[in-house]
């Protein structure tokens, strides 16, 4: 646990700083804000890939979805904890630099700038804090030695993140009218729907098949905190999926001028 925490705490910030320095060499004309934005998205892609591979490994290894164990289901949580903490700070840095570009001259790390960040990014910050404060104790303590399969399923939700990050990178590079951006938009829709929306019915169906009950009885057979955790996780996903669908409608149905907004 402590070794994993220490390694992850050094790895993500270190990779972020390395990306910023490499971009300073590769793209000297870029502003610090642009380098921070791109570096954050690259690190996010790396973490999402690690989480997805870990999740698929756990899911494929656990034939019994209730009792089978896999070490990654426990160990990768201790990778997520420092990543989520790091990511909140990077989101704050991005917010502060964007505010400076808009002429909002707030001192970095001031109470005003932090409060502005929390108001603007309240859903994402709440999502990260929920994982840190609620989901981590549930997965590491309250579930005991059961349900590694379902923890692996949650990890695979990150499959859509590299495509989301690529879409933002393409927009940052002014490539939003390219074929690559349109294809990537389709991949975002598909992976987000499969791994962040259908994932939850899939987990309930897997449990129902394992114990031999109808799927509609599953919410009444599993612990209450599992239902609460799942509901809390899927709620923001439904909101974000709605936003993604609206953006997709503009991308594939609007004029070029409208799509560039």
């Amino acid at each position: 646990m402590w070794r994993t925490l220490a390694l992850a705490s050094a790895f993500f910030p270190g990779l972020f700083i390395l990306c910023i320095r490499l971009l300073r060499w590769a793209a000297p004309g870029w502003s610090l804000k642009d380098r921070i934005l791109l570096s954050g998205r690259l690190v996010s892609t790396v973490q999402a890939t690690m989480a997805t591979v870990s999740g698929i490994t756990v899911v494929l290894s656990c034939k019994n979805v209730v009792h089978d164990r896999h070490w990654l289901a426990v160990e990768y949580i201790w990778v997520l904890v420092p990543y989520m903490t790091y990511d909140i700070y990077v989101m704050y840095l991005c917010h502060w630099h964007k505010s400076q570009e808009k002429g909002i001259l707030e001192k970095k790390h001031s109470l005003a700038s932090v409060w502005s960040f929390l108001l603007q990014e309240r859903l994402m910050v709440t999502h990260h804090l929920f994982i840190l404060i609620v989901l981590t104790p549930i997965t590491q303590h309250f579930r005991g030695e059961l349900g590694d399969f379902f923890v692996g399923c949650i990890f695979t939700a990150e499959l859509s993140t590299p495509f989301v990050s690529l879409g933002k990178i393409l927009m940052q590079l002014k490539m939003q009218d390219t074929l690559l951006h349109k294809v990537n938009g389709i991949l975002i829709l598909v992976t987000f729907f499969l791994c962040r929306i259908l994932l939850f019915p899939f987990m309930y169906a897997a449990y129902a098949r394992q114990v031999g009950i109808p799927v509609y009885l599953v919410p009444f057979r599993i612990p209450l905190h599992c239902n609460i955790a799942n509901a809390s996780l899927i709620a923001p996903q439904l909101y974000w999926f709605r936003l993604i669908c609206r953006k997709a409608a503009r991308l594939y149905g609007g004029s070029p001028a409208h799509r560039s907004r």
Side-chain angles (χ1 to χ4, degrees):
M1 166 189 168
W2 295 112
R3 182 181 178 184
T4 303
L5 279 171
L7 288 173
S9 297
F11 175 71
F12 293 115
L15 182 59
F16 177 69
I17 293 170
L18 177 62
C19 288
I20 290 176
R21 292 184 176 179
L22 289 176
L23 286 171
R24 184 170 59 187
W25 169 78
W30 280 25
S31 66
L32 178 58
K33 183 209 76 172
D34 288 331
R35 295 200 300 270
I36 286 175
L37 286 172
L38 183 54
S39 298
R41 288 159 184 165
L42 291 174
V43 175
S44 177
T45 297
V46 170
Q47 188 284 135
T49 303
M50 292 168 58
T52 301
V53 172
S54 298
I56 291 174
T57 301
V58 173
V59 169
L60 294 179
S61 300
C62 295
K63 305 306 179 184
N64 186 306
V65 304
V66 179
H67 297 288
D68 281 359
R69 305 303 311 276
H70 194 284
W71 64 272
L72 274 172
V74 174
E75 203 65 21
Y76 197 77
I77 294 294
W78 302 123
V79 176
L80 280 177
V81 168
Y83 171 75
M84 290 295 171
T85 306
Y86 144 87
D87 198 44
I88 290 174
Y89 182 68
V90 170
M91 286 192 296
Y92 167 75
L93 285 181
C94 294
H95 168 81
W96 185 80
H97 280 281
K98 288 178 181 179
S99 298
Q100 293 291 297
E101 194 174 70
K102 294 176 182 178
I104 304 174
L105 303 178
E106 296 173 336
K107 186 178 179 181
K108 186 185 287 188
H109 303 139
S110 67
L111 182 60
S113 66
V114 172
W115 182 245
S116 173
F117 161 69
L118 293 175
L119 285 177
Q120 183 168 326
E121 301 290 343
R122 56 188 177 275
L123 182 57
M124 187 64 76
V125 172
T126 301
H127 175 260
H128 279 41
L129 291 177
F130 177 82
I131 291 174
L132 289 171
I133 298 172
V134 179
L135 203 60
T136 297
I138 289 176
T139 56
Q140 300 296 66
H141 176 67
F142 292 112
R143 71 185 180 93
E145 296 185 353
L146 304 175
D148 282 15
F149 172 88
F150 302 107
V151 176
C153 287
I154 296 297
F155 290 163
T156 64
E158 289 292 317
L159 178 61
S160 63
T161 300
F163 302 107
V164 173
S165 295
L166 177 58
K168 292 179 179 179
I169 290 171
L170 291 174
M171 293 183 69
Q172 185 177 349
L173 298 175
K174 310 299 183 184
M175 297 175 63
Q176 61 265 36
D177 292 324
T178 62
L179 177 62
L180 176 59
H181 188 250
K182 293 180 178 180
V183 172
N184 186 67
I186 295 174
L187 292 174
I188 291 174
L189 278 170
V190 172
T191 56
F192 199 100
F193 182 69
L194 289 177
C195 296
R196 291 183 180 248
I197 306 298
L198 286 187
L199 173 68
F200 295 93
F202 168 77
M203 290 193 294
Y204 280 71
Y207 180 85
R209 184 170 60 252
Q210 181 69 54
V211 300
I213 62 173
V215 68
Y216 64 84
L217 290 179
V218 172
F220 306 101
R221 290 284 299 272
I222 62 176
L224 177 61
H225 63 259
C226 293
N227 287 315
I228 294 174
N230 287 332
S232 300
L233 283 172
I234 196 174
Q237 311 305 329
L238 292 170
Y239 172 75
W240 287 322
F241 186 67
R242 175 174 170 268
L243 295 181
I244 290 171
C245 289
R246 289 174 61 184
K247 289 181 180 179
R250 292 198 300 269
L251 177 63
Y252 300 109
S255 64
H258 191 206
R259 289 197 300 266
S260 64
R261 294 178 186 175

